[in-house]
Amino acid sequence: MSEHITEIIIFTVLFLLVSGIGFVAARWRAPQDMAHLDEWGLGGRSFGAWITWFLVGGDLYTAYTFVAVPALIFGAGAAGFFAVPYTVIIYPMFFLILIRLWSVSHRHGFVTPADFVRTRFGSPTLALLIAITGIVATMPYIALQLVGIEAVLKTMGVTGSSMFARHAPIIIAFAILAAYTYQSGLRAPALIAFVKDTLIYIVILVAVLYLPYKLGGWGSIFDAADKKFQATPAPGDGILLNANNQLQYVTLAVGSALALFLYPHSVTGVLASKNRNVIKRNMSALPAYSFLLGLIALLGYMAISAGIKPLPGAKAGSSDMNTVVPLLFDLKFPAWFAGIAFAAIGIGALVPAAIMSIAAANLFTRNIYKEYLKRDATPADEAKVSKIASLVVKIGAVAFIVFLDPQFSIDLQLIGGVIILQTAPAVALGLYTRWFHRGALITGWAAGMGLALWMLWQIPNAATKKAHFGGSAFPLNKFWFFDTPKTIYVGFVAVAVNLLVAVLVTFLLRAMKTPDGVDGTEADDYFADEGDPRVDKSVTTVETVSST
């Protein structure tokens, strides 16, 4: 640890500075009363274009970006670049969907996607499933942030032999995170996001200019990567895609794109915007982060060229692939700048972890606690319960690290994507049509989720030799009628089955004239967004609809 003392000091100082900002954020644009979900969980729905850009960008580009993507490229090559096109195609895809979601939620006071589903389809059961799905899908994503911090601490030698000593620094970091999130709500990560993104942009711009110079240029970097992958027996790696990984690449990019803005934390960032124009401008400007992501991804190839050997993993004989980027910075940067880079990774993990825990807590409070446990809960009750739930969610995230332990940390996010994709028919399609029967949506969710869990159960972990939940790339030969080494993203298959079942069951229930709870014409009028002439501007509260 002594040889990393400069890095540790700089990391600690910047971390404490950011934590101080998190506590001060409670007074930033503070209302008279923070005891309301609109204030604690959505920042008063008042964020403008710049704040929203940093908030949503800080929400979507996380330790996943800095640690998991380069680690996948270090281990698998070109297939890891799926993260670049999916973050490009997602913005035009969700441009209209998110504007409409904001308008409907703003008009009726919705805080979560499940609030919308509850009223749109008149089904608390469907809303409960959407809420539980959102909470469970968020936990592995928070876990990924823990992995990013742990990789940095391990590189600096801040670790121990016992389980408690190994995880104590992370526990302390997340205790501080929990404290300022509890006090300041969404205002804390919104304010910290300015510092986080500034640090990340500085580190990456320096890295892509300085490291190629130190490593002999881009030609030398790509040659070293190609040589490594040519020497491995794996059929799906290489600096170019091949017949064995193209299907996985395409389905992973499309599936991840569909999942990105279904996550509760993504919706939370959008709903915190003060008007529709803020969202329009952000959907146009956020691709700038995708350019940054492309540069970060190349760090995986730089680590190969630099001869980086990952630190040992928790299990004997295993390697911790998540340490390749921190080790690259430690080896090639001066100690003072490596400390700044480590702080950027650590802070880059805390900001999204805070937003994710807030979003999951809002789901629990609105769609489980108030719906089933205390229907007469006051706004103050909701805010109090949400604060406590945000602490519990972080504990759940640790359980995902312990019990899943996938081959690549990026699979924590991809498994979360598999889960959250099952909300697409009810949330994304529900914004534009009530054609789906609520019973069909529930049946489709059950079919898609059941298939997804079965497929994830079938995927082994080649690194740790575990037989289940080793990743999200499903071997097609496990479908019995395929004889091929190709793989496919689990989420893509599961949501396709979900949608197909929902369509077929809707046809069946409509043919049987099964009651559906809400009149279609009235529902469409009620859910017209603010740009629609049918909207009655005087309507500001959520109406009570029949339920199932």
Side-chain angles (χ1 to χ4, degrees), residues 62 65 122 126 220 232 239 370:
T62 68
T65 309
L126 180 59
S220 176
T232 64
I239 63 171
K370 186 170 184 177

Side-chain angles (χ1 to χ4, degrees), residues 404-442:
L404 288 188
D405 190 25
Q407 183 174 1
F408 293 103
S409 62
I410 199 170
D411 280 306
L412 288 168
Q413 187 262 350
L414 297 178
I415 290 172
V418 170
I419 296 170
I420 201 63
L421 268 172
Q422 308 317 309
T423 67
V427 177
L429 297 182
L431 282 165
Y432 284 92
T433 178
R434 262 211 83 258
W435 178 80
F436 288 99
H437 192 285
R438 58 187 179 181
L441 289 171
I442 293 172

Side-chain angles (χ1 to χ4, degrees), residues 176-484:
I176 296 172
L177 165 70
Y180 65 66
T181 302
Y182 186 94
Q183 175 178 324
S184 305
L186 194 64
R187 285 174 171 81
L191 196 56
I192 293 171
F194 285 94
V195 179
K196 170 244 182 188
D197 286 358
T198 300
L199 284 175
I200 286 179
Y201 268 101
I202 290 173
V203 170
I204 292 306
L205 291 176
V206 170
V208 297
L209 294 174
Y210 177 72
L211 292 179
Y213 165 76
K214 293 284 289 185
L215 296 171
W218 287 107
S220 176
I221 291 171
F222 280 101
D223 287 344
D226 186 47
K227 183 178 179 180
K228 175 196 172 183
F229 294 126
Q230 290 287 347
T232 64
D237 62 12
I239 63 171
L240 297 175
L241 296 176
N242 57 53
N244 292 318
N245 58 20
Q246 289 171 354
L247 179 63
Q248 171 71 10
Y249 182 90
V250 171
T251 55
L252 196 50
V254 175
S256 298
L258 292 173
L260 187 60
F261 277 104
L262 292 172
Y263 279 108
H265 57 276
S266 302
V267 174
T268 296
V270 169
L271 297 187
S273 306
K274 66 180 180 181
N275 58 48
R276 292 157 55 97
N277 289 331
V278 168
I279 301 169
K280 291 178 181 178
R281 287 193 289 268
N282 271 273
M283 289 299 103
S284 301
L286 279 170
Y289 277 99
S290 297
F291 171 74
L292 181 69
L293 176 57
L295 299 179
I296 293 174
L298 291 170
L299 293 173
Y301 285 161
M302 294 182 198
I304 295 174
S305 180
I308 298 297
K309 302 295 182 186
L311 293 176
K315 292 181 172 56
S318 66
S319 298
D320 187 353
M321 303 290 284
N322 304 303
T323 59
V324 295
V325 169
L327 286 171
L328 175 66
F329 289 163
D330 183 52
L331 177 66
K332 295 297 181 181
F333 283 146
W336 65 271
F337 193 80
I340 294 174
F342 293 159
I345 297 174
I347 296 168
L350 291 182
V351 169
I355 305 171
M356 291 169 191
S357 63
I358 290 170
N362 290 345
L363 280 168
F364 173 81
T365 302
R366 269 296 179 95
N367 308 113
I368 298 176
Y369 173 74
K370 186 170 184 177
E371 183 76 44
Y372 293 96
L373 302 178
K374 191 176 182 181
R375 288 182 175 271
D376 60 346
T378 65
D381 290 334
E382 289 183 339
K384 181 179 179 180
V385 170
S386 200
K387 289 179 179 181
I388 296 172
S390 71
L391 306 179
V392 177
V393 168
K394 297 180 182 71
I395 298 173
V398 177
F400 271 87
I401 295 180
V402 174
F403 293 110
L404 288 188
D405 190 25
Q407 183 174 1
F408 293 103
S409 62
I410 199 170
D411 280 306
L412 288 168
Q413 187 262 350
L414 297 178
I415 290 172
V418 170
I419 296 170
I420 201 63
L421 268 172
Q422 308 317 309
T423 67
V427 177
L429 297 182
L431 282 165
Y432 284 92
T433 178
R434 262 211 83 258
W435 178 80
F436 288 99
H437 192 285
R438 58 187 179 181
L441 289 171
I442 293 172
T443 306
W445 177 92
M449 192 65 71
L451 177 62
L453 293 176
W454 176 82
M455 293 173 71
L456 291 172
W457 178 261
Q458 299 294 319
I459 301 174
N461 186 328
T464 63
K465 308 305 180 185
K466 285 187 176 181
H468 310 292
F469 292 106
S472 61
F474 185 80
L476 285 178
N477 56 27
K478 288 185 178 291
F479 273 137
W480 304 294
F481 46 83
F482 284 104
D483 183 16
T484 174

Side-chain angles (χ1 to χ4, degrees), residues 67-79:
V67 172
V69 172
L72 180 59
I73 289 173
F74 179 89

